Amino acid sequence: MKKLYGSNRIKTAVFISGTGSNLKKLIQFSKTKKSPININFVISSNSKAKGLSFAKKYKIKKKVFKFNNKVRDENTILKYLKKDDVNLICLAGFMKILSKNFIKKFKGKILNIHPSLLPKYKGLNTHQRVIKNREKVSGCTIHYVNSNLDSGKIILQKKVKVHINDTPNKLSNRIKKQEHILYPKAISKLFTNP
Ligand code: GRF
């Protein structure tokens, strides 16, 4: 789905639940000349998410949905996104699982970042499991979202070495540095005309 941009950037929503370091990088990328996207909306599943402060700083519309009633919340989100013509969703540390119905409505237009070399280490506690299994290499993946967890088509991956004395935290920090480069790169790959 390559698209022309310029004045016509793809209206994008970023879904978060926590720190929002990827959100921050995506916002910064969206401000560059070469960005094919504009970030119009931030959705958080957590009212205390640190990432919300970036939405505030950059004056981007934000809403919190706790997903206690998933059907109701998803329907409300869909209404908001439709109203603002949002055409791309980037999940960035979003800890809720979207329903099949929601994914269908945004088919092929939801991306996710996962901190492993998929298809290895889907799901939670990735770094702990990687270290426990004495893997030598881990990394991060940008992929399309389908209705199976962390299983959609892979767009880009980056390998990161696992060190002998790594803790989940150390490894996470090292991988996140690459995530911050990889997400904008994947978006450019998908939407920038050659
Ligand atoms: C990242 O490691 C991402 O790969 C995973 O959740 C983490 C979110 O980090 N899905 P942040 O909130 O973007 O800092």
Side-chain angles (χ1 to χ4, degrees), residues 20-179:
S21 68
N22 281 288
L23 166 66
K24 183 182 170 196
K25 294 294 168 182
L26 286 175
I27 296 173
Q28 289 171 346
F29 169 65
S30 76
K31 305 280 178 200
T32 62
K33 248 187 173 174
K34 60 176 191 216
S35 166
I37 63 163
N38 189 57
I39 297 181
N40 296 59
F41 228 112
V42 173
I43 303 275
S44 175
S45 65
N46 169 7
S47 60
K48 296 201 168 67
K50 196 179 153 220
L52 283 169
S53 66
F54 300 120
K56 192 170 176 215
K57 180 174 173 198
Y58 290 95
K59 299 189 171 60
I60 297 168
K61 251 188 232 178
K62 56 177 173 7
K63 291 270 172 208
V64 176
F65 292 91
K66 295 197 171 149
F67 280 69
N68 295 332
N69 182 334
K70 186 147 139 172
V71 175
R72 189 198 57 202
D73 284 354
E74 286 191 345
N75 283 335
T76 313
I77 293 172
L78 283 169
K79 270 187 211 146
Y80 276 119
L81 301 189
K82 197 170 174 203
K83 193 165 165 241
D84 277 13
D85 250 339
V86 167
N87 213 14
L88 177 70
I89 294 174
C90 293
L91 307 183
F94 184 63
M95 299 303 284
K96 299 288 175 185
I97 294 178
L98 295 166
S99 71
K100 276 189 183 160
N101 173 56
F102 187 97
I103 293 169
K104 212 166 106 192
K105 296 250 163 71
F106 262 84
K107 198 164 182 264
K109 296 175 180 176
I110 310 179
L111 312 181
N112 183 38
I113 182 155
H114 185 77
S116 79
L117 293 176
L118 291 173
K120 291 178 101 174
Y121 300 102
K122 297 174 183 177
L124 295 175
N125 302 321
T126 317
H127 307 305
Q128 283 93 323
R129 290 185 283 139
V130 163
I131 290 170
K132 196 168 168 229
N133 287 346
R134 298 173 192 274
E135 297 281 1
K136 292 204 167 61
V137 180
S138 188
C140 45
T141 303
I142 310 291
H143 66 94
Y144 285 106
V145 171
N146 65 14
S147 49
N148 296 320
L149 185 69
D150 299 328
S151 298
K153 189 175 171 227
I154 292 171
I155 300 160
L156 269 186
Q157 291 186 304
K158 176 76 184 174
K159 287 183 183 163
V160 174
K161 274 190 189 157
V162 182
H163 297 169
I164 296 170
N165 61 351
D166 260 341
T167 59
N169 210 18
K170 279 188 191 168
L171 181 59
S172 165
N173 288 338
R174 203 165 339 104
I175 289 179
K176 269 202 189 182
K177 283 193 185 138
Q178 297 305 322
E179 294 185 22

